Amino acid sequence: MYLDHFGLDEPPFRITPHTDFFFAGANRGATLEALLYAITHDEGIVKVAGEVGSGKTMLCRVLMERLPGHVDTILLSNPSLAREEILYAIADELKIDAGSERQPVLLRILQDHLIKLYGEDRRVVVLIDEAHAMPQETLEQIRLLSNLESSSSKLLQIVLFGQPELDEHLSLPHMRQLKERITHSFRLAPLLRSDVEAYLEFRMRAAGYRGPNVFSPGAVRQILRASEGLTRRVNILADKSLLAAFADNEHGITARHVKRAIRDSEFYHAPMNRSKIGLAAGGLAAGLVLGLGVRYLLPPSAPAPAQTAAISAAAAQPAAAVPSRPVPEPSGAQPAPAPARATPVIASPDAAPAPQHVAQATGVTPKAAVPAAAATIAAPPQAAPAQVAARAIATPVAVNRTAPDAQVAAAATAPVATAATAPVATLPSTATSVVKPDTPTGAKPGSKNYVPPAPPTGEFARARFAATQEWLKSAPGDQYSIQLLTTATHEVRRIEELLARADGRNLKQSDFYVYGVKINDRQHYRLAYGLYPTLAEVTQGIKDLPPAYLQLGPYYRSVERMRSQNHQ
């Protein structure tokens, strides 16, 4: 229904396994490579566990396609097979006429046939899906099948795909022998936020989409929260979100569309909300405990220089600052409240008093240049002790704003007039530490000569970005490169890390390309590798990438498309 609306060739988020949409990121690609190695090197029994909808069946289907031609595969997807039925099922797949032979005889016939195939340099692997639902007697029969071997290697490779309950079954005492025969054990973990974002974009590209990323960051967060990182749920929510955007005649997926998809999904229910409330309550309790621990267990922080000077000065003048007994107020005099007397010392960002006002309030002329702490204790002799204490306490409030320690030390030696008249904007905040990308000049975005802003940080990233801008001016648009990574402006360090480690992976930095792209009107950067004349070569190039790059979910992109996105 929405294919033409988004420019798709086929539905991108079908829940049935489609090997063309296999996502190699989130350790799926590395797991596939490890399975291929284990099977082709006679490693015996291998186990792959994962939650419902984590991609086990997809991995099983892709494994069947990627196995070498000399390996015969047998897929058993019916978990309810009895102990004797599994032997007949394997014999049927191997085209063995079992007839009505008894189980011991059938097992011997099966072994003879496997020895014959082994002599022809062929291997046999049995892939058992939904193994967690198999009867324990059938699992015991699988252990006996693993005993079929020649003088030097196993005759039958077995791969078990199952949910976490499979681990519970294997932990039972009477299943110990089978568990000890498992040479490799893999687990498909749920997708993380970065994995979900890459997964959504990969599936859209595989379905023929060629535009900018349609899923906004808010939409990705909603999908991750509701799906819990399970690929089947991600597919369901993404498909319904596309339908919701199509109904609204929009080409971008926002959090609003995903929320509509969530309300229409069966797996997102109230218990999840209660668990999140419990998690929030636990976090609040932990915060309270941490706060109390910091308050009562940690020693107090060292006072600022201004505070130390104030305390020392007050201690040196006990008669004036802290009399031993109350001093009577002059007749008719009304003591001012303590906060009002302390106000002139505080450098308020909203309304700083003029220097002469400060001088009048403290009794110090502007030429005196008295430090803030000294002005704080310069109270009249007849002031009450409570007023003196209030003025001494008010000083740290002015010093301990958002300025760093070095600025606090400088403020302690500054005159009162300077502290009162200095604008608040001169105090740097933590927000100014964020480096913004260089602003492009010249042509407007979207034009042919437009050059996007350079990455804000990263020596290697900025160098490759500059080289890529020159390369794109004359690069052949009908050739291809391998896109590895897309990052926001504040995540350019990920590109920098990959470039820094390129030499250690026997890759040249000159073969990497860094270019800009606008996603949801925000500047992003992409890292690509290599230049390939044909689709066949770039596809093989993806397979030849180091395992660390395969986990990123790489896919090919034409140079013309890279140039177009760079001009956005």
Side-chain angles (χ1 to χ4, degrees):
M1 182 179 296
Y2 53 72
L3 297 184
D4 293 338
H5 182 74
F6 290 100
L8 299 169
D9 299 332
E10 55 183 316
F13 297 107
R14 290 177 294 192
I15 61 174
T16 54
H18 192 326
T19 55
D20 290 343
F21 289 86
F22 174 69
F23 177 62
N27 208 37
R28 268 59 174 175
T31 303
L32 176 63
E33 296 297 329
L35 287 172
L36 291 172
Y37 175 85
I39 292 173
T40 55
H41 288 77
D42 301 333
E43 293 291 336
I45 302 179
V46 181
K47 175 176 67 70
V48 180
E51 286 289 348
V52 179
S54 59
K56 299 183 298 296
T57 303
M58 168 70 86
L59 181 63
C60 181
R61 298 296 194 277
V62 176
L63 178 62
M64 294 176 64
E65 289 187 357
R66 302 283 180 88
L67 284 171
H70 69 277
V71 178
D72 296 330
T73 59
I74 300 174
L75 175 61
L76 300 180
S77 55
N78 181 11
S80 60
L81 291 174
R83 178 169 185 166
E84 62 278 0
E85 291 176 340
I86 192 172
L87 292 178
Y88 288 101
I90 295 175
D92 183 64
E93 291 288 338
L94 294 175
K95 305 296 188 293
I96 298 176
D97 186 10
S100 58
E101 298 290 349
R102 294 181 296 107
Q103 182 175 335
V105 177
L106 179 58
L107 189 61
R108 187 176 65 252
I109 295 175
L110 179 60
Q111 182 176 11
D112 293 341
H113 185 77
L114 292 175
I115 292 175
K116 176 184 176 183
L117 292 177
Y118 182 81
E120 298 173 356
D121 197 23
R122 301 193 63 81
R123 299 292 184 271
V124 178
V125 56
V126 179
L127 307 177
I128 303 177
D129 202 5
E130 304 293 336
H132 61 278
M134 275 193 163
Q136 296 182 10
E137 295 80 5
T138 306
L139 290 175
E140 175 61 19
Q141 183 63 55
I142 292 174
R143 181 187 69 83
L144 296 177
L145 288 173
S146 67
N147 291 333
L148 300 178
E149 54 188 17
S150 66
S151 58
S152 59
S153 62
K154 298 287 184 181
L155 296 175
L156 192 65
Q157 309 298 312
I158 300 173
V159 182
L160 303 175
F161 294 88
Q163 297 174 16
E165 291 82 356
L166 177 60
D167 295 328
E168 298 177 5
H169 295 164
L170 295 175
S171 299
L172 296 175
H174 60 278
M175 301 297 294
R176 179 169 53 89
Q177 292 182 338
L178 173 60
K179 185 177 181 179
E180 291 181 353
R181 280 173 168 78
I182 296 177
T183 56
H184 295 278
S185 181
F186 305 98
R187 189 172 188 87
L188 299 182
L191 304 183
L192 303 177
R193 185 187 183 283
S194 57
D195 299 329
V196 171
E197 185 175 7
Y199 177 81
L200 293 171
E201 184 174 4
F202 166 76
R203 300 277 296 208
M204 290 290 291
R205 305 295 177 187
Y209 179 71
R210 294 294 178 265
N213 193 356
V214 297
F215 289 90
S216 68
V220 174
R221 285 193 296 270
Q222 290 290 335
I223 291 177
L224 174 65
R225 179 174 63 88
S227 68
E228 299 180 330
L230 300 177
T231 54
R232 183 181 301 166
R233 294 183 178 183
V234 172
N235 289 345
I236 294 173
L237 293 176
D239 180 75
K240 292 183 178 181
S241 299
L242 290 175
L243 187 60
F246 168 73
D248 292 343
N249 197 25
E250 298 180 6
H251 288 82
I253 308 300
T254 64
R256 173 171 52 86
H257 299 128
V258 178
K259 289 179 180 178
R260 288 164 58 183
I262 292 174
R263 288 194 297 267
D264 191 47
S265 301
E266 294 292 335
F267 52 79
Y268 190 75
H269 46 74
M272 183 182 299
N273 293 333
R274 290 197 296 269
S275 65
K276 288 182 177 292
I277 292 174
L279 182 62
L284 179 60
L288 291 175
V289 173
L290 181 61
L292 291 174
V294 172
R295 172 66 180 81
Y296 290 104
L297 299 181
L298 295 182
S301 58
Q307 302 175 32
T308 305
I311 296 172
S312 301
Q317 303 178 19
V322 185
S324 58
R325 61 180 180 273
V327 178
E329 296 285 344
S331 59
Q334 296 294 332
R341 297 296 297 274
T343 301
V345 186
I346 302 176
S348 173
D350 299 327
Q356 59 269 25
H357 296 165
V358 177
Q360 295 172 5
T362 59
V364 182
T365 61
K367 297 180 180 180
V370 182
T376 303
I377 64 170
Q382 62 269 28
Q387 299 171 351
V388 176
R391 287 194 294 272
I393 293 173
T395 301
V397 179
V399 175
N400 293 333
R401 294 186 66 82
T402 58
D405 295 341
Q407 298 168 358
V408 175
T413 60
V416 173
T418 303
T421 57
V424 177
T426 59
L427 294 176
S429 65
T430 56
T432 59
S433 61
V434 179
V435 182
K436 295 184 178 180
D438 299 338
T439 303
T441 59
K444 295 182 179 180
S447 62
K448 182 178 180 181
N449 297 325
Y450 173 74
V451 177
T457 58
E459 176 185 355
F460 298 133
R462 292 173 68 90
R464 291 312 307 155
F465 176 84
T468 302
Q469 300 307 309
E470 292 298 322
W471 174 75
L472 285 174
K473 294 179 181 179
S474 58
D478 58 346
Q479 296 192 13
Y480 301 89
S481 185
I482 301 174
Q483 181 171 307
L484 299 173
L485 185 65
T486 300
T487 68
T489 301
H490 63 281
E491 296 177 332
V492 178
R493 58 176 179 78
R494 298 178 61 192
I495 294 179
E496 184 73 8
E497 291 172 358
L498 287 175
L499 291 174
R501 298 174 181 175
D503 293 338
R505 294 174 175 138
N506 297 323
L507 300 177
K508 297 180 180 179
Q509 282 198 16
S510 58
D511 292 335
F512 288 86
Y513 307 104
V514 179
Y515 63 99
V517 61
K518 283 289 186 63
I519 300 177
N520 296 324
D521 294 329
R522 295 183 180 180
Q523 186 63 46
H524 287 65
Y525 297 92
R526 281 181 167 160
L527 177 66
Y529 172 76
L531 185 63
Y532 303 87
T534 65
L535 278 175
E537 293 182 62
V538 70
T539 302
Q540 183 61 41
I542 294 175
K543 297 179 181 178
D544 296 338
L545 287 173
Y549 289 2
L550 291 174
Q551 296 181 18
L552 300 174
Y555 56 92
Y556 64 84
R557 184 176 294 278
S558 68
V559 174
E560 186 59 36
R561 185 60 181 166
M562 295 168 60
R563 183 184 293 117
S564 174
Q565 292 184 344
N566 189 66
H567 293 327
Q568 291 180 353

